[in-house]
Amino acid sequence: MHLSHAPDAPAGDEISFDDFLKVDIRIGTIVAAEEFPEARKPSFRLRIDFGPAIGEKKSCAQIAVNYVCDELVGRQVAAVVNFPPRQIGPAMSEVLTLGFADEQGEVVLFAPDVKVPNGSRLF
């Protein structure tokens, strides 16, 4: 299955509700952000606090086109917290920070419009 980021792409293959529940998407607050010049695309290394049950996790996110590193700390973001860690160049990414493509195909972060407790799960 190939996923397209294009806004006019058809919906993906049908899945069961149980399949959806296997993907653990949580809200966390960015507590640290730094530039990641070793990445192929403009990226930042993030440290995100998902609350006491999950703790802080690292993520490499290709968001440098639409965001300024210094303005990310304190921002809430959504991330998949139950994928295996992935090596991204010299960094380890422990969670997949979620976003949508803007009109230029660059990532816009996915976050609640009202602050929620860190660790809150998407349902």
Side-chain angles (χ1 to χ4, degrees), residues 12-39:
D13 295 338
E14 188 175 284
I15 63 171
S16 72
F17 188 69
D18 287 340
D19 288 337
F20 169 72
L21 291 177
K22 291 177 186 176
V23 181
D24 193 351
I25 299 171
R26 304 285 183 114
I27 289 296
T29 299
I30 298 172
V31 295
E34 62 185 22
E35 294 185 15
F36 187 22
E38 301 91 349

Side-chain angles (χ1 to χ4, degrees), residues 1-102:
M1 175 172 73
H2 178 333
L3 297 177
S4 174
H5 299 291
D8 60 349
D13 295 338
E14 188 175 284
I15 63 171
S16 72
F17 188 69
D18 287 340
D19 288 337
F20 169 72
L21 291 177
K22 291 177 186 176
V23 181
D24 193 351
I25 299 171
R26 304 285 183 114
I27 289 296
T29 299
I30 298 172
V31 295
E34 62 185 22
E35 294 185 15
F36 187 22
E38 301 91 349
R40 280 183 259 165
K41 292 186 177 182
S43 301
F44 296 129
R45 284 191 261 200
L46 307 175
R47 207 169 70 241
I48 306 168
D49 179 7
F50 291 97
I54 296 172
E56 288 187 10
K57 299 289 182 181
K58 295 179 272 183
S59 182
C60 300
Q62 297 176 351
I63 59 173
V65 171
N66 284 329
Y67 297 93
V68 176
C69 193
D70 295 342
E71 296 174 358
L72 290 169
V73 173
R75 181 185 190 101
Q76 286 197 305
V77 293
V80 177
V81 298
N82 65 332
F83 283 153
R86 185 169 172 209
Q87 191 74 39
I88 310 289
M92 184 63 71
S93 190
E94 299 174 301
V95 298
L96 175 65
T97 305
L98 300 176
F100 293 94
D102 65 12

